[in-house]
Amino acid sequence: MENVQDHLDNLIQFLEQLNINSVSQNALTTSGANTSEPNNEVRLPAIDLPQFHGREENFECYRNMFDLFVNSKSSSNKTKKYLYLWSTLKGEAKAVIDHLIPSDDDYDTAIQLLEVNYSNHEVAISNLYYRRKAILTPTPETTAEAIQEFRLQVESLVKAFVAKADVPKTDWVLKLEIQSNFPREILASICSHYQTDILTLDEIFDGLRMTVNRMRAP
């Protein structure tokens, strides 16, 4: 299997080098034909292709990015796209297409297999829910670093959950779960700032952000 991987890596490098040479040649041709016109186009930095390890809740993001950078490029043949697809898959996700070969037909098959195995909306929502529960279980320490880590993880998971499950931002269960899992003095401080005991999700996260900034201030 290592020899196959080495072969695929070499093919990818070869195809990328062909692209670089083609782009360079086109640039030289264009430059020679338009020497009187300045080129004001801003060159954006290269973006690494996303990697996918086989978690349903991450598949939608991975699929959208891969579609944008690779799958939507009509100028590339499917065999080349297969090589890029192979290079982005890791662990369990790579095993899904382990017995396919770089070809036009197997590229379509690989995409279908990934969709069948990971494009499950209900499972993705369930995984986000249980990950959120796992993070909320321990009460964070009252240090700026602990509160910041808690806020970043929970805010990201909650907003993904709200978007995927179409849950209103005023959902009481979400707010109560979050509020019950950080120290009372911090909750009291945030409620005092907003002059209410009924906080919205945005007020909870903004309040935690302000708390961290205040604790970090010299």
Side-chain angles (χ1 to χ4, degrees), residues 23-39:
V23 170
S24 299
Q25 184 61 41
N26 290 337
L28 288 173
T29 302
T30 303
S31 176
N34 301 283
T35 53
S36 61
E37 297 181 6
N39 183 7

Side-chain angles (χ1 to χ4, degrees), residues 198-211:
I198 306 174
L199 298 168
T200 67
L201 285 173
D202 288 338
E203 287 172 343
I204 291 173
F205 294 128
D206 286 341
L208 289 174
R209 189 179 297 108
M210 289 186 295
T211 300

Side-chain angles (χ1 to χ4, degrees), residues 15-181:
L15 289 170
E16 288 177 341
Q17 188 60 46
L18 285 180
N19 271 351
I20 293 172
N21 293 338
S22 176
V23 170
S24 299
Q25 184 61 41
N26 290 337
L28 288 173
T29 302
T30 303
S31 176
N34 301 283
T35 53
S36 61
E37 297 181 6
N39 183 7
N40 295 323
E41 182 179 355
V42 177
R43 182 182 294 275
L44 297 175
I47 298 177
D48 291 334
L49 289 174
Q51 293 186 348
F52 180 62
H53 295 259
R55 297 185 67 97
E56 286 88 349
E57 64 269 27
N58 298 333
F59 181 69
E60 184 178 1
C61 179
Y62 162 78
R63 180 183 57 195
N64 290 344
M65 292 181 68
F66 187 82
D67 282 346
L68 176 64
F69 294 123
V70 178
N71 197 43
S72 62
K73 306 303 181 184
S74 58
S75 58
S76 298
N77 61 57
K78 290 183 179 180
T79 301
K80 179 178 177 181
K81 291 178 180 179
Y82 181 96
L83 297 175
Y84 280 112
L85 179 68
W86 174 279
S87 72
T88 65
L89 300 178
K90 306 297 176 184
E92 176 190 308
K94 178 165 283 188
V96 171
I97 67 168
D98 214 18
H99 298 289
L100 302 179
I101 61 174
S103 66
D104 287 7
D105 291 340
D106 277 10
Y107 175 71
D108 291 334
T109 302
I111 294 296
Q112 292 172 3
L113 284 172
L114 290 170
E115 288 282 347
V116 168
N117 280 276
Y118 300 112
S119 185
N120 189 318
H121 191 66
E122 288 75 17
V123 172
I125 292 173
S126 298
N127 287 342
L128 285 172
Y129 175 78
Y130 288 115
R131 285 180 63 193
R132 191 187 80 240
K133 292 283 288 184
I135 292 174
L136 289 173
T137 300
T139 300
E141 299 177 3
T142 55
T143 63
E145 289 70 23
I147 296 172
Q148 177 75 339
E149 181 180 1
F150 175 84
R151 181 188 68 80
L152 291 174
Q153 291 189 61
V154 176
E155 184 173 20
S156 175
L157 281 172
V158 165
K159 292 194 173 182
F161 181 76
V162 168
K164 288 182 180 294
D166 193 24
V167 177
K169 287 187 176 182
T170 55
D171 186 87
W172 281 95
V173 175
L174 285 175
K175 293 191 293 185
L176 289 174
E177 282 184 347
I178 297 170
Q179 289 183 196
S180 64
N181 281 276

